[in-house]
Amino acid sequence: MHFSLPDFSACRVLVCGDVMLDRYWHGATARISPEAPVPVVQVKNDEVRAGGAGNVALNAASLGAQARVIGLIGDDEAGRLLGESLAARGVACAFERLADAPTITKLRVISRHQQLIRLDFEERFDACHAPRVADALAAHLEGIDVLVLSDYAKGTPRRCAGPDRLGAGPGRAGGGGPGRVPTFPAIAAPPSSNPTSPSSRPWSAPARTKRP
C-alpha cells in the first residue's frame, strides 16, 4: 500500500529537551577473559547516533521539515560527535555547552548481534542550567510552527517555561516526550485541509513510557 505524505518543507520545527549520544561498539567475541568470566570483544566499529531530543529532530527532518534542536551538552568529544551527526542529517543545533557536566552518552557493546552491556555516562543537569535553556528557547521561538518538548527526565526541559508563557498560541502545536509529559495545557495543531492528516486532530499527550 502506498501512502502519500504531505509536503512538510515549509514547516519549522523546534525541539527542546534532553539530547544524548547513542554510541555502539561492534566487534567479534572469540574468548573469555582470564580476569573474569566475561567475553572479550575486539572492537572493530564505532557507531554514533543522535538520541533523545536529537532523534526527535532527526525524525522531523526525515519528513522534510526544517528542524532545530536545543539542549544541554558537555564540553567534550561526545558533544562534538552529537553535533556533527545531527548537522550531517540537516538538523540545526542550538546547544548550550556546559563545562561542569558531560554530554549524556549511552554506550552499548554489541557482538554477534547481541548487546552485551550498556554503559551510561550522565549527570542530572542542575537547576542553575535552566535559565540558559529557557533563554535559548525564547531566542528561537520566532517563526516556528511546531514546538516539541522532549523530556527523558534528565533535567533539561523540566524548569523551562511552557509554551503558554513563551508566546505559543492558536496555530502552534505543542508536544511532549516519552519521559514525563510536560504539565502545560495541550495546544491544538492548526487545521488541515486533509481530514485524515494527523495535524487535523487536536494534540494529545503521548503515553508514558519507561525512561531510557
Side-chain angles (χ1 to χ4, degrees):
M1 183 179 296
H2 177 72
F3 293 94
S4 180
L5 290 175
D7 181 7
F8 292 110
S9 60
C11 182
R12 293 154 296 187
V13 179
L14 180 62
V15 180
C16 177
D18 296 314
V19 297
M20 57 193 74
L21 181 70
D22 285 334
R23 197 163 192 170
Y24 302 83
W25 285 355
H26 299 269
T29 302
R31 62 190 179 93
I32 299 298
S33 170
E35 304 169 350
V38 294
V40 176
V41 179
Q42 187 175 5
V43 177
K44 293 291 187 180
N45 182 34
D46 183 4
E47 178 186 5
V48 296
R49 301 178 187 174
N55 186 54
V56 175
L58 279 178
N59 289 337
S62 69
L63 292 173
Q66 304 170 39
R68 182 184 302 273
V69 60
I70 296 172
L72 297 171
I73 63 172
D75 188 10
D76 50 25
E77 179 197 29
R80 177 182 60 80
L81 291 173
L82 178 59
E84 291 176 353
S85 176
L86 287 165
R89 301 282 295 277
V91 175
C93 299
F95 291 149
E96 291 295 315
R97 195 177 300 271
L98 307 175
D100 58 348
T103 300
I104 296 174
T105 302
K106 300 186 181 299
L107 170 61
R108 300 162 177 87
V109 180
I110 310 292
S111 182
R112 299 184 180 181
H113 308 290
Q114 293 186 350
Q115 179 176 313
L116 302 183
I117 191 172
R118 191 182 91 174
L119 298 88
D120 288 4
F121 303 86
E122 67 176 77
E123 295 178 13
R124 185 173 176 84
F125 296 117
D126 296 328
C128 63
H129 301 136
R132 295 181 58 175
V133 179
D135 290 345
L137 182 56
H140 290 92
L141 273 177
E142 183 65 30
I144 69 163
D145 301 300
V146 178
L147 169 63
V148 181
L149 298 184
S150 182
D151 189 357
Y152 284 80
K154 308 302 181 185
T156 304
R158 295 301 296 170
R159 297 180 178 88
C160 292
D164 54 320
R165 294 173 54 191
L166 288 170
R172 285 187 178 174
R180 300 175 182 176
V181 179
T183 57
F184 52 79
I187 301 171
S192 169
S193 57
N194 179 5
T196 64
S197 170
S199 63
S200 67
R201 300 187 296 271
W203 176 86
S204 59
R208 296 170 184 254
T209 58
K210 294 181 180 179
R211 57 182 294 184

